[in-house]
Amino acid sequence: MRSGDFAREERRVCLLTGAGGRLGDAFCQAAYTEYDIVAVCRNRIPAAPSQHEWFVDPFAPEIPVPENDSRIFMIRADLTEKGEVERVVDLAVARFGRVDLLVNNAAHIGLQPRGIVDGDATLDEFEPHFAVNVGVPLRLSARLAQRSWVHDRDENRRRNRNIVNVSSISGSEVFPGGQALYASSKAALNQLTRHLSAEFDEFGVRANAIAPDSFPSAVPTEQVVQAIVELDRGTMTGGVFGVGGAPESSAGGRHSRAGDRPS
């Protein structure tokens, strides 16, 4: 094996949704030297080096710059459209050969400040909230398992493969401002995470969620990024972990069995 191949083998491959948003952008900028990242975005793109950019120092064009070591592979997609989840999973596996970490970060939030009974605004917002905040994580997890993980138990455990769902403190608390649908969808995502953990344990894939307080107003975005990386490096599964929020939101997780720990 060539040295470059070995280095490539050791890099973890992350499939990240919502890559153009505040958290997705921060993750790409913080982690592109450590991970190969499949960055899925719909409108905005992450402000990080990708296959679309090549950097040159104008004062020393012959000297390599670290930004070109990026392995960010950007895909534009609306994951609620038919066939887009499958296309993204197929492209990710074709580009890097595997996915070690799935971060379900894309989210829809539409507030109804006048409450649930004010006209049809709340009813109209039901589908987009649950389609993006619950349906997309469910479909990506299922398709990735079907196409790549379900028959690869030993490799899953060796590479400590896992899912991190980005939830919210709103999934366990009631806040004013018309968050009923957003909060309900995040509560559903928390419970989906627990079921993914229980079912995917059979083939050695972990699943957890983080439930941060508002960022960057209450919690630095960098702290949320670090929480994702720490979960990826750990052995926990089935937990919903608060980031700057109420302590009770971190309950429910468990460590993998001793035999499940990565080598």
Side-chain angles (χ1 to χ4, degrees):
M1 176 182 290
R2 298 172 300 176
S3 59
D5 293 338
F6 181 80
R8 178 67 172 276
E9 172 69 17
E10 293 306 306
R11 290 170 65 95
R12 294 180 63 71
V13 178
C14 171
L15 197 168
L16 167 73
T17 67
R22 185 189 304 276
L23 178 57
D25 185 45
F27 183 90
C28 287
Q29 294 193 51
Y32 76 84
T33 58
E34 182 177 355
Y35 290 83
D36 290 333
I37 301 174
V38 179
V40 184
C41 51
R42 188 175 62 175
N43 297 318
R44 292 175 296 181
I45 63 173
S50 72
Q51 80 272 28
H52 296 293
E53 298 179 274
W54 187 259
F55 293 83
V56 175
D57 184 344
F59 299 103
E62 72 284 1
I63 298 177
V65 295
E67 285 82 0
N68 292 332
D69 293 334
S70 171
R71 295 290 190 274
I72 296 179
F73 180 60
M74 192 176 67
I75 303 174
R76 284 187 179 273
D78 180 347
L79 294 171
T80 62
E81 293 293 325
K82 184 178 180 181
E84 285 295 85
V85 163
E86 290 75 14
R87 182 177 72 90
V88 165
V89 169
D90 289 345
L91 285 173
V93 174
R95 177 65 178 83
F96 293 114
R98 65 182 189 276
V99 172
D100 302 314
L101 168 65
L102 167 63
V103 180
N104 284 306
N105 169 56
H108 178 87
I109 178 168
L111 304 180
Q112 298 83 50
R114 295 185 177 180
I116 294 174
V117 297
D118 182 54
D120 288 339
T122 302
L123 301 180
D124 293 341
E125 280 286 334
F126 177 84
E127 291 292 345
H129 274 94
F130 279 79
V132 176
N133 300 351
V134 186
V136 168
L138 169 63
R139 293 170 60 198
L140 272 173
S141 301
R143 295 306 189 201
L144 190 54
Q146 292 165 348
R147 280 164 160 74
S148 182
W149 286 344
V150 74
H151 301 301
D152 206 8
R153 174 177 174 175
D154 291 342
E155 189 68 1
N156 293 337
R157 297 190 175 191
R158 188 185 75 82
R159 296 201 64 86
N160 196 24
R161 286 173 175 153
N162 69 109
I163 300 166
V164 177
N165 291 325
V166 179
S167 182
S168 167
I169 192 173
S170 297
S172 58
E173 303 287 338
V174 176
F175 296 100
Q179 297 191 34
L181 288 177
Y182 176 72
S184 299
S185 66
K186 291 300 185 180
L189 180 62
N190 293 346
Q191 191 66 350
L192 173 64
T193 302
R194 299 182 182 103
H195 278 271
L196 287 172
S197 170
E199 295 192 20
F200 284 21
D201 182 66
E202 179 180 350
F203 45 87
V205 173
R206 301 181 293 116
N208 293 285
I210 58 170
D213 205 336
S214 298
F215 56 88
S217 58
V219 180
T221 305
E222 293 75 14
Q223 185 177 342
V224 184
V225 171
Q226 186 59 34
I228 295 172
V229 173
E230 289 176 359
L231 275 177
D232 182 44
R233 292 172 176 168
T235 61
M236 297 294 288
T237 189
V240 178
F241 297 91
V243 182
E248 57 269 27
S249 64
S250 64
R254 64 177 174 81
H255 284 283
S256 298
R257 294 166 296 183
D260 296 346
R261 293 175 183 270
S263 58

